[in-house]
């Protein structure tokens, strides 16, 4: 038997998750190349046996052409040294008091942590993620600090705050392809050394450099028990995702901190520093849980990330469509047109009707769109081309867009909104649309009705 042409064709290739992931990450790789990221993590990360995995991820980002500033903390290392001397850090109003003994421990701990980070970034063993990699690391006196001084009668001694960042030197380090490493230390013109908050150092560095991102790698916090004390047996909470949500506006941070007593102080410091960074021009601040494997890469190289994004303006914008959105809208509509859910529109038609469209955009990706065609003489309008990207469904975007279109219609004197649909009737029914007849539509719309398509009519009174 002679095989048919179809028999000679290769079977449809199976999907390769790895290839799909690389393709999905490609736009982010291109977007991040040459950008400056400030990444901050605590001393807990350095003490974790899995810290090399995090360093491998940072090395990968560096290899992708990202300019990296690392800011590290050293609290557990400091506390261990203090305990060895029979002392401990004292806190008043959430601020550390750094006496002479504590300062000596801070210096020792910062030096040890710095060396450990440099050693891991210097690793180049074969058969490891760092094989063939050479990453120069530069640390130094990038931070000029001032003492906190006496507050409410409490002398904070050698605890300080960032006064100035040496941006010129930092930029020179990054221009040479090195990773800049910044400890939680600052220096004064008088030669004093001050113990600083890593969050404060990171914020100062990000603002001084005009960084594209400020990224806080947070620890898994322990929720407070009913008595208000942290307990080893208390429930752990995935804080950034469960309590903070995926997106926050900088202007809402103060209210969030005032209303949520369960936020640990170290996370609260990151939130305050992040909000302040946004107010000083940093567009994106990320809080990512360090203990989640690969969380840093997921946050930076996937559409939804893995943590909480703080921004000065809404991360996902709902706006009128522009002519340069035509290609993105066509890509969004095409799968639904191929399935017959929507009527196919040509590029030319979409270009002429672009002022009818509204969309939501996230990092350059159009995630949803809809169009409104008013019939003022009948006080009616047609809602058309309602589409949500397949990876962003069940997230409320369709409802948000529908509410926006209804507001626009009301503002234009529209009293009733109608849709013509073949496969999505239930979605509209659940949102207040009732079955209607062709005769209830404006005459000019009746004249354009496609009887072959046999769409159902649904009408909503606004």
């Amino acid at each position: 038997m002679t095989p048919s042409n179809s028999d000679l064709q290769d079977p449809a290739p199976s999907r390769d998750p790895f290839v799909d992931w690389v393709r999905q990450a490609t736009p982010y790789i291109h977007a991040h190349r040459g950008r400056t990221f400030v990444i901050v993590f605590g001393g807990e990360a350095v003490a974790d046996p899995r810290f090399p995995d995090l360093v491998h991820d940072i090395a990968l980002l560096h290899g992708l052409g990202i300019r990296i500033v690392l800011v590290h903390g050293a609290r557990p290392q400091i506390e261990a040294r203090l305990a060895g001397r029979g002392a401990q850090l004292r806190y008043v109003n959430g601020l550390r008091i750094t006496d002479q003994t504590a300062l000596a421990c801070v210096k020792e701990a910062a030096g040890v942590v710095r060396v450990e980070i440099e050693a891991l970034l210097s690793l180049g063993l074969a058969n490891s993620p760092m094989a063939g990699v050479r990453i120069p690391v530069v640390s130094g006196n990038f931070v000029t600090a001032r003492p906190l001084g006496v507050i409410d009668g409490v002398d904070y001694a050698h605890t300080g705050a960032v006064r100035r960042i040496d941006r010129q030197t930092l930029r020179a380090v990054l221009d040479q392809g090195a990773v800049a490493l910044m400890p939680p230390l600052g220096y004064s013109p008088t030669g004093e050394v001050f113990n600083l908050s890593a969050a404060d150092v990171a914020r100062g560095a990000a603002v001084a450099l005009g960084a594209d991102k400020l990224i806080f790698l947070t620890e898994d916090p322990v929720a407070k028990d009913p008595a208000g004390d942290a307990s080893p047996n208390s429930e752990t909470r995935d804080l950034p995702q469960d309590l903070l949500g995926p997106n926050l506006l900088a202007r809402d941070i103060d209210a969030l901190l005032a209303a949520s007593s369960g936020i640990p102080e170290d996370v609260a410091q990151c939130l305050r520093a992040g909000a302040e960074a946004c107010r000083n021009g940093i567009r994106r601040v990320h809080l990512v849980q360090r203990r989640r494997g690969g969380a840093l890469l997921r946050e930076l190289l996937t559409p939804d990330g893995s943590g909480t994004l703080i921004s000065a303006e809404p991360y996902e914008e709902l706006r009128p469509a522009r002519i340069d959105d035509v290609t993105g809208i066509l890509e969004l509509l095409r799968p639904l047109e191929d399935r017959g859910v929507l009527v196919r529109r040509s590029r030319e038609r979409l270009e002429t009707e672009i002022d009818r469209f509204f969309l939501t955009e996230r990092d350059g990706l159009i995630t949803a769109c809809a169009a409104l065609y008013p019939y003022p003489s009948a006080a009616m309008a047609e809602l058309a081309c309602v589409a949500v990207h397949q990876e962003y469904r069940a997230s409320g975007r369709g409802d948000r867009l529908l509410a926006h279109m209804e507001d626009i219609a009301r503002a234009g004197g529209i009293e009733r909104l109608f849709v013509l649909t073949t496969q999505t009737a239930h979605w509209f029914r659940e949102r207040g649309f009732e079955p209607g007849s062709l005769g209830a539509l404006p005459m000019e719309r009746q004249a354009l009705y496609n009887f072959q398509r046999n769409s159902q009519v649904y009408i909503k009174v606004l």
Side-chain angles (χ1 to χ4, degrees), residues 416-440:
R416 291 181 296 166
L417 201 62
F418 68 89
V419 297
L420 280 77
T421 181
T422 58
Q423 300 180 36
T424 57
H426 280 204
W427 191 88
F428 289 104
R429 294 280 320 254
E430 291 167 2
R431 286 152 183 83
F433 286 79
E434 297 293 338
S437 66
L438 179 60

